């Protein structure tokens, strides 16, 4: 499903242009505070150094221009969704034509085309790569919503702030239940996270890849379903870096279940 959204060309929205173009506006942005936000919700600050609102010359200039471009285009997406009269979740569901809860590259490009933002295929590929935090080749609702939220000035736009709050409140509850289940499993077996996960830490640096942690949780048969494993992975890999500290895992286990 989807909609044939109106065109916003000439209505004051920023014109599309290629990623990394130095002429892009470089407005700094900090995600606005939102009452009642769950403590686990991620917040992002644009680290771009600026002088009088402009990006000064330096080795960071290209990356900063790219960052400004990302924020600009994400804000345009939010404005377009608002103008279509729907909220962020409804828009994502409309974009997700195969109903698998993820936007494929084709669905993402089609979504941008529906919003008539004038972005090229190259622009769409660039933007998707930036939004795809865990680099799995797909855009989840959480990635979509989080990047929209950090880019808009007004959390009321397309009800993005409320959707962000609701999503992370729900995620927090689901995470707590999952970690309690995991803590009970470790306790019943009389083992610690370091003892179990250390078996999968080939180089002994105390860090596992997301795949290694997923394999460990499946192989050790701790009673977790695939959805539970994904919740655990998101809890300990907050920045989507694909690496998980065994110590961080143990801290989450201790926090929710009193297990070392």
């Amino acid at each position: 499903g989807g909609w044939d959204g109106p065109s916003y060309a000439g209505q004051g929205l920023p014109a599309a242009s290629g990623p990394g173009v130095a002429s892009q506006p470089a407005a700094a942005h900090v995600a606005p505070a939102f009452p009642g936000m769950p403590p686990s919700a991620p917040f992002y600050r644009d680290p771009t150094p600026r002088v009088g609102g402009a990006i000064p010359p330096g080795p960071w200039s290209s990356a900063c221009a790219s960052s400004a471009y990302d924020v600009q285009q994400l804000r345009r997406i939010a404005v377009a969704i608002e103008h279509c009269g729907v909220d962020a979740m409804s828009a994502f569901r409309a974009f997700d034509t195969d109903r698998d809860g993820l936007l494929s590259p084709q669905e993402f490009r089609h979504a941008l085309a529906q919003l008539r933002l004038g972005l090229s295929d190259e622009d769409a590929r660039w933007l998707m790569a930036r939004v795809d935090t865990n680099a799995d080749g797909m855009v989840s609702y959480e990635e979509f919503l989080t990047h929209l939220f950090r880019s808009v000035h007004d959390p009321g736009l397309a009800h993005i702030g409320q959707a962000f709050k609701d999503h992370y409140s729900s995620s927090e509850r689901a995470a707590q239940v999952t970690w309690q289940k995991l803590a009970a499993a470790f306790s019943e077996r009389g083992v610690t996270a370091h003892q179990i996960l250390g078996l999968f830490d080939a180089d002994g640096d105390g860090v596992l890849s997301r795949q290694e942690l997923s394999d460990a949780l499946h192989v050790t048969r701790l009673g977790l379903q695939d959805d539970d494993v994904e919740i655990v992975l998101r809890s300990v890999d907050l920045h989507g870096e694909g690496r998980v500290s065994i110590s961080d895992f143990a801290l989450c286990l201790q926090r929710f279940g009193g297990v070392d």
Side-chain angles (χ1 to χ4, degrees):
W3 66 86
D4 185 16
S7 173
Y8 305 114
Q11 296 186 25
L13 295 178
S17 54
V21 176
S23 61
Q24 290 294 327
H29 175 66
V30 178
F34 198 78
M37 193 66 66
S40 63
F43 287 87
Y44 301 84
R45 180 182 297 274
D46 180 359
T48 307
R50 305 178 195 281
V51 176
I55 301 172
W60 53 76
S61 296
S62 178
C64 290
S66 297
S67 176
Y69 171 84
D70 301 339
V71 171
Q72 181 193 56
Q73 301 309 325
L74 287 163
R75 191 176 300 136
R76 294 180 73 222
I77 291 172
V79 170
I81 290 172
E82 168 81 8
H83 282 219
C84 288
V86 297
D87 58 25
M89 178 177 284
S90 298
F92 185 88
R93 287 174 175 169
F95 299 150
D96 180 21
T97 55
D98 62 4
R99 301 292 188 268
D100 67 348
L102 299 167
L103 299 185
S104 67
Q106 181 179 0
E107 287 173 326
F108 190 78
R109 288 195 302 272
H110 184 61
L112 298 182
Q114 284 182 297
L115 295 175
R116 301 185 183 179
L117 300 179
L119 298 179
S120 68
D121 286 346
E122 181 186 358
D123 293 325
R125 284 193 296 271
W126 169 272
L127 194 57
M128 178 166 178
R130 304 288 282 182
V131 175
D132 178 17
T133 307
N134 64 3
D136 65 354
M138 307 287 275
V139 173
S140 67
Y141 174 65
E142 183 168 302
E143 290 169 330
F144 179 77
L145 180 62
T146 298
H147 282 82
L148 286 183
F149 180 77
R150 74 177 189 178
S151 300
V152 299
H153 291 305
D154 177 10
L157 189 67
H159 305 290
I160 288 170
Q162 187 63 49
F164 188 84
K165 175 184 174 182
D166 292 345
H167 176 77
Y168 280 98
S169 293
S170 175
S171 296
E172 182 84 0
R173 289 191 295 272
Q176 185 165 355
V177 171
T178 299
W179 280 100
Q180 286 174 344
K181 182 192 300 186
L182 190 57
F186 272 91
S187 180
E188 289 170 3
R189 289 162 175 74
V191 294
T192 68
H194 285 90
Q195 288 172 331
I196 292 294
L197 300 185
L199 297 175
F200 297 83
D201 182 16
D203 59 7
D205 66 350
V207 177
L208 301 179
S209 70
R210 282 174 60 96
Q211 187 59 54
E212 287 172 335
L213 178 56
S214 177
D215 291 344
L217 294 176
H218 281 109
V219 168
T220 51
R221 302 192 179 190
L222 296 173
L224 298 185
Q225 304 300 316
D226 288 343
D227 288 347
D228 295 328
V229 171
E230 183 56 34
I231 287 173
V232 169
L233 292 174
R234 287 206 309 266
S235 298
V236 290
D237 185 18
L238 292 176
H239 303 293
E241 296 173 344
R243 290 164 57 82
V244 175
S245 162
I246 295 177
S247 294
D248 287 347
F249 182 96
L251 285 174
C252 284
L253 208 57
Q254 187 174 42
R255 172 188 173 195
F256 290 113
V259 176
D260 295 328

